[in-house]
């Protein structure tokens, strides 16, 4: 148990659907992250939130829309996705994302997304 | 730019020792993490190196050479449960962003 939970664990959606991924951390951390993990590719950082403010957006298409209502919750809203967006979406949290050389991130189990 | 290289796959025998290498080229390198990820599960922290040298933690050790842009993860007395993907990730100065390598898929055979 890493203290970071994600729902749903699996999601199948059509290209015209709208869905949301949810992440919750129970560790009292200040920062939360969304990553995309595709087969045989490195983990790709998508978004970073620090103290509920978005501090990084790594050129992610607008069909992915993050939301961080408080320091414990992070959402990823999905709209008109493409089949190439099928991947494992991982959420992570850490204590201090800025200026700290040691920034261990704790990951959730991920949501396996399939876009038909 | 930033580039991190790891072998894609490795195979080893139960009870043996395996070394997984990671080379990196980054601007403003600060430290290096190793994570373990079992299929369908979250990556979990294994080690962190910021200074040159070897960090030992039970059956796992991690080595860093900053001048060579090189790290390795050493797994001793391999067990079947060590079959997993091992992710190398670096952090840069001024922020905690992690840049990951593609991961090394380790298969431990009886």
């Amino acid at each position: 148990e890493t203290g970071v939970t994600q729902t749903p664990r699996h999601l199948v959606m059509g290209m015209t659907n709208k869905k949301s991924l949810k992440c919750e951390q129970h560790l009292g951390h200040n920062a939360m992250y969304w990553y995309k993990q595709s087969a045989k590719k490195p983990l790709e950082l998508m978004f970073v939130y620090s103290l509920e403010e978005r501090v990084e957006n790594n050129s992610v298409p607008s069909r992915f829309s993050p939301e961080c209502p408080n320091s414990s919750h992070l959402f990823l809203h999905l709209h008109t996705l493409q089949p190439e967006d099928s991947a494992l979406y991982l959420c992570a949290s850490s204590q201090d994302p800025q200026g700290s050389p040691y920034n261990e991130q704790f990951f959730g189990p991920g949501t396996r997304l399939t876009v038909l | 730019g930033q580039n991190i290289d790891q072998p894609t796959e490795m195979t080893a025998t139960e009870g043996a020792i395996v070394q997984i290498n990671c080379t990196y080229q980054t601007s403003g390198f600060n430290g290096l993490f190793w994570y373990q990820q079992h299929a369908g599960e979250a990556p979990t922290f294994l080690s962190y190196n910021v200074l040159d040298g070897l960090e030992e933690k039970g059956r796992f050790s991690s080595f860093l050479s900053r001048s060579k842009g090189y790290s390795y993860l050493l797994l001793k007395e391999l067990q079947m449960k060590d079959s997993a993907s091992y992710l190398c990730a670096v952090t840069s100065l001024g922020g905690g962003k992690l840049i990951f390598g593609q991961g090394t898929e380790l298969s431990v055979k009886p």
Side-chain angles (χ1 to χ4, degrees), chain A residues 82-98:
Chain A
Q82 304 298 312
E84 59 264 30
D85 296 323
S86 298
L88 180 68
Y89 289 84
L90 289 162
C91 172
S93 71
S94 69
Q95 182 61 43
D96 179 5
Q98 302 295 336

Side-chain angles (χ1 to χ4, degrees), chain B residues 7-54:
Chain B
T8 305
E9 298 175 330
M10 296 184 73
T11 302
T13 305
E14 191 176 16
I17 298 172
V18 71
Q19 178 175 311
I20 303 174
N21 296 325
C22 173
T23 58
Y24 61 88
Q25 294 173 318
T26 64
S27 54
F29 171 84
N30 192 74
L32 188 144
F33 285 86
W34 282 96
Y35 279 82
Q36 179 191 60
Q37 186 179 22
H38 286 100
E41 297 182 13
T44 55
F45 169 82
L46 287 178
S47 68
Y48 176 68
N49 294 72
V50 63
L51 300 175
D52 284 358
L54 189 67

Side-chain angles (χ1 to χ4, degrees), chain A:
Chain A
E1 180 60 49
T2 64
V4 181
T5 58
Q6 290 186 243
T7 55
R9 294 293 309 275
H10 300 272
L11 178 62
V12 179
M13 59 187 290
M15 288 190 285
T16 58
N17 292 155
K18 288 185 182 180
K19 297 286 184 183
S20 295
L21 310 185
K22 179 183 176 182
C23 175
E24 184 173 359
Q25 60 97 0
H26 313 274
L27 301 168
H29 287 165
N30 299 321
M32 297 187 77
Y33 309 77
W34 278 117
Y35 287 89
K36 176 183 179 182
Q37 188 174 35
S38 303
K40 306 299 183 185
K41 288 187 177 181
L43 275 167
E44 300 172 49
L45 180 64
M46 299 175 73
F47 301 105
V48 181
Y49 276 82
S50 174
L51 299 172
E52 300 152 44
E53 287 192 23
R54 192 190 311 180
V55 297
E56 184 138 358
N57 176 348
N58 265 10
S59 302
V60 179
S62 60
R63 57 186 183 269
F64 295 92
S65 174
E67 178 190 1
C68 188
N70 56 62
S71 60
S72 299
H73 293 86
L74 185 66
F75 295 89
L76 188 62
H77 303 299
L78 315 172
H79 176 51
T80 59
L81 294 191
Q82 304 298 312
E84 59 264 30
D85 296 323
S86 298
L88 180 68
Y89 289 84
L90 289 162
C91 172
S93 71
S94 69
Q95 182 61 43
D96 179 5
Q98 302 295 336
S100 170
Y102 182 76
N103 185 38
E104 180 186 345
Q105 294 182 18
F106 294 78
F107 287 83
T111 295
R112 174 68 64 185
L113 174 67
T114 303
V115 182
L116 301 176

Side-chain angles (χ1 to χ4, degrees), chain B residues 83-103:
Chain B
S83 292
S85 183
Y86 291 86
L87 311 176
C88 172
V90 301
T91 61
S92 56
L93 292 171
K97 187 170 73 172
L98 290 180
I99 306 298
F100 283 86
Q102 67 178 22

